[in-house]
PDB file of all heavy atoms in Angstrom:
ATOM      1  N   LEU A 188       0.588   2.138  -0.929  1.00 97.00           N
ATOM      2  CA  LEU A 188       1.354   3.389  -1.090  1.00 97.00           C
ATOM      3  C   LEU A 188       0.469   4.586  -0.715  1.00 97.00           C
ATOM      4  O   LEU A 188      -0.703   4.646  -1.057  1.00 97.00           O
ATOM      5  CB  LEU A 188       1.825   3.534  -2.534  1.00 97.00           C
ATOM      6  CG  LEU A 188       2.444   4.859  -2.948  1.00 97.00           C
ATOM      7  CD1 LEU A 188       3.805   5.052  -2.269  1.00 97.00           C
ATOM      8  CD2 LEU A 188       2.586   4.919  -4.466  1.00 97.00           C
ATOM      9  N   TRP A 202       5.281   3.598   2.002  1.00 97.00           N
ATOM     10  CA  TRP A 202       4.635   2.361   1.522  1.00 97.00           C
ATOM     11  C   TRP A 202       4.966   1.220   2.482  1.00 97.00           C
ATOM     12  O   TRP A 202       5.900   1.309   3.266  1.00 97.00           O
ATOM     13  CB  TRP A 202       5.065   1.999   0.106  1.00 97.00           C
ATOM     14  CG  TRP A 202       6.548   1.824  -0.055  1.00 97.00           C
ATOM     15  CD1 TRP A 202       7.272   0.679   0.133  1.00 97.00           C
ATOM     16  CD2 TRP A 202       7.497   2.840  -0.420  1.00 97.00           C
ATOM     17  NE1 TRP A 202       8.627   0.899  -0.148  1.00 97.00           N
ATOM     18  CE2 TRP A 202       8.771   2.199  -0.453  1.00 97.00           C
ATOM     19  CE3 TRP A 202       7.418   4.199  -0.743  1.00 97.00           C
ATOM     20  CZ2 TRP A 202       9.944   2.908  -0.808  1.00 97.00           C
ATOM     21  CZ3 TRP A 202       8.581   4.885  -1.083  1.00 97.00           C
ATOM     22  CH2 TRP A 202       9.814   4.252  -1.105  1.00 97.00           C
ATOM     23  N   TRP A 224       5.217   7.096 -17.244  1.00 97.00           N
ATOM     24  CA  TRP A 224       5.807   7.009 -15.919  1.00 97.00           C
ATOM     25  C   TRP A 224       7.323   7.183 -15.990  1.00 97.00           C
ATOM     26  O   TRP A 224       7.958   6.695 -16.889  1.00 97.00           O
ATOM     27  CB  TRP A 224       5.486   5.654 -15.312  1.00 97.00           C
ATOM     28  CG  TRP A 224       4.015   5.491 -15.035  1.00 97.00           C
ATOM     29  CD1 TRP A 224       3.089   4.993 -15.890  1.00 97.00           C
ATOM     30  CD2 TRP A 224       3.308   5.899 -13.857  1.00 97.00           C
ATOM     31  NE1 TRP A 224       1.844   5.047 -15.314  1.00 97.00           N
ATOM     32  CE2 TRP A 224       1.929   5.578 -14.069  1.00 97.00           C
ATOM     33  CE3 TRP A 224       3.724   6.477 -12.652  1.00 97.00           C
ATOM     34  CZ2 TRP A 224       0.969   5.843 -13.115  1.00 97.00           C
ATOM     35  CZ3 TRP A 224       2.725   6.728 -11.692  1.00 97.00           C
ATOM     36  CH2 TRP A 224       1.380   6.408 -11.929  1.00 97.00           C
ATOM     37  N   THR A 225       7.860   7.905 -14.995  1.00 97.00           N
ATOM     38  CA  THR A 225       9.277   8.147 -14.903  1.00 97.00           C
ATOM     39  C   THR A 225       9.808   7.560 -13.568  1.00 97.00           C
ATOM     40  O   THR A 225       9.192   7.772 -12.538  1.00 97.00           O
ATOM     41  CB  THR A 225       9.597   9.661 -14.924  1.00 97.00           C
ATOM     42  OG1 THR A 225       9.159  10.200 -16.178  1.00 97.00           O
ATOM     43  CG2 THR A 225      11.108   9.926 -14.777  1.00 97.00           C
ATOM     44  N   TYR A 229      15.670   3.561  -7.564  1.00 94.00           N
ATOM     45  CA  TYR A 229      15.656   2.139  -7.262  1.00 94.00           C
ATOM     46  C   TYR A 229      15.943   2.021  -5.784  1.00 94.00           C
ATOM     47  O   TYR A 229      17.059   2.279  -5.324  1.00 94.00           O
ATOM     48  CB  TYR A 229      16.720   1.405  -8.068  1.00 94.00           C
ATOM     49  CG  TYR A 229      16.367   1.244  -9.534  1.00 94.00           C
ATOM     50  CD1 TYR A 229      16.507   2.298 -10.412  1.00 94.00           C
ATOM     51  CD2 TYR A 229      15.883   0.033 -10.036  1.00 94.00           C
ATOM     52  CE1 TYR A 229      16.186   2.173 -11.765  1.00 94.00           C
ATOM     53  CE2 TYR A 229      15.560  -0.104 -11.378  1.00 94.00           C
ATOM     54  CZ  TYR A 229      15.694   0.960 -12.243  1.00 94.00           C
ATOM     55  OH  TYR A 229      15.388   0.840 -13.565  1.00 94.00           O
ATOM     56  N   ARG A 238      11.195  11.126  -0.593  1.00 98.00           N
ATOM     57  CA  ARG A 238      10.797  12.537  -0.656  1.00 98.00           C
ATOM     58  C   ARG A 238      11.004  13.043  -2.110  1.00 98.00           C
ATOM     59  O   ARG A 238      12.102  12.882  -2.646  1.00 98.00           O
ATOM     60  CB  ARG A 238      11.589  13.399   0.320  1.00 98.00           C
ATOM     61  CG  ARG A 238      11.072  14.840   0.447  1.00 98.00           C
ATOM     62  CD  ARG A 238      11.893  15.612   1.457  1.00 98.00           C
ATOM     63  NE  ARG A 238      11.431  16.965   1.652  1.00 98.00           N
ATOM     64  CZ  ARG A 238      10.560  17.324   2.569  1.00 98.00           C
ATOM     65  NH1 ARG A 238      10.080  16.433   3.447  1.00 98.00           N
ATOM     66  NH2 ARG A 238      10.182  18.578   2.700  1.00 98.00           N
ATOM     67  N   ASP A 241      10.562  20.003  -4.704  1.00 95.00           N
ATOM     68  CA  ASP A 241      10.595  21.063  -5.681  1.00 95.00           C
ATOM     69  C   ASP A 241       9.777  20.756  -6.928  1.00 95.00           C
ATOM     70  O   ASP A 241      10.272  20.831  -8.061  1.00 95.00           O
ATOM     71  CB  ASP A 241      12.072  21.373  -6.076  1.00 95.00           C
ATOM     72  CG  ASP A 241      12.871  21.841  -4.881  1.00 95.00           C
ATOM     73  OD1 ASP A 241      12.321  22.569  -4.070  1.00 95.00           O
ATOM     74  OD2 ASP A 241      14.067  21.484  -4.806  1.00 95.00           O
ATOM     75  N   PHE A 248       0.143  15.118  -9.399  1.00 98.00           N
ATOM     76  CA  PHE A 248       1.204  14.108  -9.469  1.00 98.00           C
ATOM     77  C   PHE A 248       0.671  12.774  -9.057  1.00 98.00           C
ATOM     78  O   PHE A 248      -0.109  12.685  -8.080  1.00 98.00           O
ATOM     79  CB  PHE A 248       2.400  14.517  -8.590  1.00 98.00           C
ATOM     80  CG  PHE A 248       3.285  15.607  -9.188  1.00 98.00           C
ATOM     81  CD1 PHE A 248       2.934  16.922  -9.065  1.00 98.00           C
ATOM     82  CD2 PHE A 248       4.386  15.275  -9.904  1.00 98.00           C
ATOM     83  CE1 PHE A 248       3.699  17.942  -9.595  1.00 98.00           C
ATOM     84  CE2 PHE A 248       5.186  16.269 -10.481  1.00 98.00           C
ATOM     85  CZ  PHE A 248       4.858  17.615 -10.310  1.00 98.00           C
ATOM     86  N   VAL A 252       4.700   2.330  -6.797  1.00 98.00           N
ATOM     87  CA  VAL A 252       5.937   1.549  -6.547  1.00 98.00           C
ATOM     88  C   VAL A 252       5.680   0.121  -7.037  1.00 98.00           C
ATOM     89  O   VAL A 252       4.543  -0.335  -7.094  1.00 98.00           O
ATOM     90  CB  VAL A 252       6.331   1.556  -5.060  1.00 98.00           C
ATOM     91  CG1 VAL A 252       6.660   2.955  -4.570  1.00 98.00           C
ATOM     92  CG2 VAL A 252       5.271   0.930  -4.175  1.00 98.00           C
ATOM     93  N   GLY A 257      15.594 -10.298  -9.977  1.00 97.00           N
ATOM     94  CA  GLY A 257      16.662 -10.762 -10.846  1.00 97.00           C
ATOM     95  C   GLY A 257      17.902 -11.045 -10.023  1.00 97.00           C
ATOM     96  O   GLY A 257      18.194 -10.324  -9.057  1.00 97.00           O
ATOM     97  N   GLU A 276      40.799  13.573 -20.700  1.00 65.00           N
ATOM     98  CA  GLU A 276      39.822  12.485 -20.673  1.00 65.00           C
ATOM     99  C   GLU A 276      38.472  12.931 -21.221  1.00 65.00           C
ATOM    100  O   GLU A 276      37.776  12.172 -21.885  1.00 65.00           O
ATOM    101  CB  GLU A 276      39.671  11.939 -19.232  1.00 65.00           C
ATOM    102  CG  GLU A 276      40.890  11.161 -18.759  1.00 65.00           C
ATOM    103  CD  GLU A 276      40.813  10.839 -17.254  1.00 65.00           C
ATOM    104  OE1 GLU A 276      39.880  11.330 -16.578  1.00 65.00           O
ATOM    105  OE2 GLU A 276      41.696  10.097 -16.811  1.00 65.00           O
ATOM    106  N   GLN A 279      38.459  12.597 -24.907  1.00 72.00           N
ATOM    107  CA  GLN A 279      38.503  11.270 -25.447  1.00 72.00           C
ATOM    108  C   GLN A 279      37.126  10.853 -25.978  1.00 72.00           C
ATOM    109  O   GLN A 279      36.108  11.219 -25.460  1.00 72.00           O
ATOM    110  CB  GLN A 279      38.975  10.258 -24.390  1.00 72.00           C
ATOM    111  CG  GLN A 279      40.416  10.389 -24.008  1.00 72.00           C
ATOM    112  CD  GLN A 279      40.813   9.315 -23.012  1.00 72.00           C
ATOM    113  OE1 GLN A 279      40.158   8.309 -22.880  1.00 72.00           O
ATOM    114  NE2 GLN A 279      41.904   9.549 -22.316  1.00 72.00           N
ATOM    115  N   ARG A 282      35.294   5.241 -27.002  1.00 90.00           N
ATOM    116  CA  ARG A 282      34.601   4.286 -27.851  1.00 90.00           C
ATOM    117  C   ARG A 282      34.292   2.972 -27.140  1.00 90.00           C
ATOM    118  O   ARG A 282      33.455   2.209 -27.578  1.00 90.00           O
ATOM    119  CB  ARG A 282      35.400   4.025 -29.122  1.00 90.00           C
ATOM    120  CG  ARG A 282      35.523   5.270 -30.027  1.00 90.00           C
ATOM    121  CD  ARG A 282      36.357   5.014 -31.274  1.00 90.00           C
ATOM    122  NE  ARG A 282      36.443   6.214 -32.105  1.00 90.00           N
ATOM    123  CZ  ARG A 282      37.164   6.292 -33.208  1.00 90.00           C
ATOM    124  NH1 ARG A 282      37.902   5.228 -33.570  1.00 90.00           N
ATOM    125  NH2 ARG A 282      37.166   7.384 -33.899  1.00 90.00           N
ATOM    126  N   PRO A 285      30.157   2.977 -24.695  1.00 95.00           N
ATOM    127  CA  PRO A 285      28.754   2.797 -24.943  1.00 95.00           C
ATOM    128  C   PRO A 285      28.259   1.346 -24.690  1.00 95.00           C
ATOM    129  O   PRO A 285      29.013   0.398 -24.919  1.00 95.00           O
ATOM    130  CB  PRO A 285      28.586   3.172 -26.416  1.00 95.00           C
ATOM    131  CG  PRO A 285      29.721   4.091 -26.701  1.00 95.00           C
ATOM    132  CD  PRO A 285      30.842   3.574 -25.861  1.00 95.00           C
ATOM    133  N   VAL A 299      14.446 -14.735 -16.327  1.00 97.00           N
ATOM    134  CA  VAL A 299      15.242 -13.806 -15.566  1.00 97.00           C
ATOM    135  C   VAL A 299      15.172 -14.007 -14.064  1.00 97.00           C
ATOM    136  O   VAL A 299      16.162 -13.722 -13.325  1.00 97.00           O
ATOM    137  CB  VAL A 299      14.861 -12.353 -15.951  1.00 97.00           C
ATOM    138  CG1 VAL A 299      13.414 -12.071 -15.615  1.00 97.00           C
ATOM    139  CG2 VAL A 299      15.764 -11.332 -15.286  1.00 97.00           C
ATOM    140  N   ARG A 310      33.889  -9.064 -15.568  1.00 98.00           N
ATOM    141  CA  ARG A 310      35.260  -8.536 -15.577  1.00 98.00           C
ATOM    142  C   ARG A 310      35.241  -7.035 -15.614  1.00 98.00           C
ATOM    143  O   ARG A 310      34.427  -6.446 -16.327  1.00 98.00           O
ATOM    144  CB  ARG A 310      36.073  -9.097 -16.765  1.00 98.00           C
ATOM    145  CG  ARG A 310      36.353 -10.582 -16.652  1.00 98.00           C
ATOM    146  CD  ARG A 310      37.190 -11.086 -17.823  1.00 98.00           C
ATOM    147  NE  ARG A 310      37.647 -12.465 -17.616  1.00 98.00           N
ATOM    148  CZ  ARG A 310      36.948 -13.533 -17.849  1.00 98.00           C
ATOM    149  NH1 ARG A 310      35.700 -13.431 -18.300  1.00 98.00           N
ATOM    150  NH2 ARG A 310      37.451 -14.756 -17.630  1.00 98.00           N
ATOM    151  N   ILE A 319      36.082   2.641 -16.251  1.00 96.00           N
ATOM    152  CA  ILE A 319      36.111   1.172 -16.135  1.00 96.00           C
ATOM    153  C   ILE A 319      35.194   0.600 -17.209  1.00 96.00           C
ATOM    154  O   ILE A 319      34.062   1.034 -17.382  1.00 96.00           O
ATOM    155  CB  ILE A 319      35.610   0.685 -14.775  1.00 96.00           C
ATOM    156  CG1 ILE A 319      36.267   1.466 -13.604  1.00 96.00           C
ATOM    157  CG2 ILE A 319      35.859  -0.805 -14.608  1.00 96.00           C
ATOM    158  CD1 ILE A 319      35.559   1.254 -12.288  1.00 96.00           C
ATOM    159  N   ARG A 320      35.682  -0.411 -17.898  1.00 97.00           N
ATOM    160  CA  ARG A 320      34.831  -1.167 -18.811  1.00 97.00           C
ATOM    161  C   ARG A 320      34.491  -2.504 -18.213  1.00 97.00           C
ATOM    162  O   ARG A 320      35.362  -3.244 -17.739  1.00 97.00           O
ATOM    163  CB  ARG A 320      35.558  -1.404 -20.157  1.00 97.00           C
ATOM    164  CG  ARG A 320      34.670  -2.131 -21.178  1.00 97.00           C
ATOM    165  CD  ARG A 320      35.422  -2.567 -22.396  1.00 97.00           C
ATOM    166  NE  ARG A 320      34.535  -3.237 -23.330  1.00 97.00           N
ATOM    167  CZ  ARG A 320      34.930  -4.196 -24.173  1.00 97.00           C
ATOM    168  NH1 ARG A 320      36.203  -4.586 -24.207  1.00 97.00           N
ATOM    169  NH2 ARG A 320      34.053  -4.758 -25.010  1.00 97.00           N
ATOM    170  N   THR A 324      28.912 -12.397 -19.087  1.00 97.00           N
ATOM    171  CA  THR A 324      28.118 -13.341 -19.915  1.00 97.00           C
ATOM    172  C   THR A 324      26.673 -13.278 -19.455  1.00 97.00           C
ATOM    173  O   THR A 324      26.355 -13.425 -18.278  1.00 97.00           O
ATOM    174  CB  THR A 324      28.634 -14.765 -19.755  1.00 97.00           C
ATOM    175  OG1 THR A 324      30.007 -14.789 -20.191  1.00 97.00           O
ATOM    176  CG2 THR A 324      27.835 -15.729 -20.610  1.00 97.00           C
ATOM    177  N   GLY A 332      15.948  -5.353 -18.600  1.00 97.00           N
ATOM    178  CA  GLY A 332      17.197  -4.653 -18.723  1.00 97.00           C
ATOM    179  C   GLY A 332      18.218  -5.205 -17.759  1.00 97.00           C
ATOM    180  O   GLY A 332      18.029  -6.283 -17.167  1.00 97.00           O
ATOM    181  N   ASP A 352      19.861  -1.580 -21.372  1.00 97.00           N
ATOM    182  CA  ASP A 352      18.847  -2.305 -22.125  1.00 97.00           C
ATOM    183  C   ASP A 352      19.018  -3.805 -21.999  1.00 97.00           C
ATOM    184  O   ASP A 352      20.094  -4.301 -21.603  1.00 97.00           O
ATOM    185  CB  ASP A 352      18.922  -1.890 -23.591  1.00 97.00           C
ATOM    186  CG  ASP A 352      18.427  -0.482 -23.866  1.00 97.00           C
ATOM    187  OD1 ASP A 352      17.660   0.046 -23.001  1.00 97.00           O
ATOM    188  OD2 ASP A 352      18.824   0.112 -24.874  1.00 97.00           O
ATOM    189  N   ASN A 365      34.080   9.343  -5.279  1.00 84.00           N
ATOM    190  CA  ASN A 365      34.019   8.375  -4.188  1.00 84.00           C
ATOM    191  C   ASN A 365      34.084   6.947  -4.643  1.00 84.00           C
ATOM    192  O   ASN A 365      33.943   6.020  -3.846  1.00 84.00           O
ATOM    193  CB  ASN A 365      32.766   8.606  -3.310  1.00 84.00           C
ATOM    194  CG  ASN A 365      31.501   8.212  -4.054  1.00 84.00           C
ATOM    195  OD1 ASN A 365      31.409   8.284  -5.264  1.00 84.00           O
ATOM    196  ND2 ASN A 365      30.495   7.815  -3.292  1.00 84.00           N
ATOM    197  N   TYR A 378      10.108  -6.599 -13.664  1.00 96.00           N
ATOM    198  CA  TYR A 378       9.265  -5.930 -12.667  1.00 96.00           C
ATOM    199  C   TYR A 378       8.165  -6.835 -12.159  1.00 96.00           C
ATOM    200  O   TYR A 378       7.659  -7.701 -12.883  1.00 96.00           O
ATOM    201  CB  TYR A 378       8.653  -4.671 -13.254  1.00 96.00           C
ATOM    202  CG  TYR A 378       9.639  -3.627 -13.683  1.00 96.00           C
ATOM    203  CD1 TYR A 378       9.643  -3.130 -15.002  1.00 96.00           C
ATOM    204  CD2 TYR A 378      10.563  -3.113 -12.812  1.00 96.00           C
ATOM    205  CE1 TYR A 378      10.534  -2.171 -15.387  1.00 96.00           C
ATOM    206  CE2 TYR A 378      11.477  -2.150 -13.196  1.00 96.00           C
ATOM    207  CZ  TYR A 378      11.445  -1.665 -14.497  1.00 96.00           C
ATOM    208  OH  TYR A 378      12.353  -0.732 -14.882  1.00 96.00           O
ATOM    209  N   SER A 382       1.914  -1.214  -7.262  1.00 96.00           N
ATOM    210  CA  SER A 382       1.090  -0.851  -6.116  1.00 96.00           C
ATOM    211  C   SER A 382      -0.134  -0.086  -6.589  1.00 96.00           C
ATOM    212  O   SER A 382      -0.341   0.161  -7.783  1.00 96.00           O
ATOM    213  CB  SER A 382       1.882   0.030  -5.151  1.00 96.00           C
ATOM    214  OG  SER A 382       2.092   1.321  -5.740  1.00 96.00           O
ATOM    215  N   ARG A 386      -2.213   9.882  -5.402  1.00 97.00           N
ATOM    216  CA  ARG A 386      -2.280  11.155  -6.094  1.00 97.00           C
ATOM    217  C   ARG A 386      -2.076  12.330  -5.109  1.00 97.00           C
ATOM    218  O   ARG A 386      -2.540  12.258  -3.983  1.00 97.00           O
ATOM    219  CB  ARG A 386      -3.624  11.309  -6.813  1.00 97.00           C
ATOM    220  CG  ARG A 386      -3.870  12.696  -7.396  1.00 97.00           C
ATOM    221  CD  ARG A 386      -5.223  12.823  -7.994  1.00 97.00           C
ATOM    222  NE  ARG A 386      -5.614  14.232  -8.180  1.00 97.00           N
ATOM    223  CZ  ARG A 386      -6.747  14.604  -8.764  1.00 97.00           C
ATOM    224  NH1 ARG A 386      -7.611  13.727  -9.198  1.00 97.00           N
ATOM    225  NH2 ARG A 386      -7.016  15.894  -8.865  1.00 97.00           N
TER     226      ARG A 386
END
Side-chain angles (χ1 to χ4, degrees):
L188 171 68
W202 59 88
W224 295 90
T225 298
Y229 286 78
R238 189 179 182 93
D241 299 322
F248 283 83
V252 297
E276 289 171 353
Q279 290 183 20
R282 294 179 180 176
V299 62
R310 291 182 171 82
I319 312 166
R320 183 190 180 209
T324 300
D352 288 338
N365 69 331
Y378 298 124
S382 71
R386 172 184 162 176

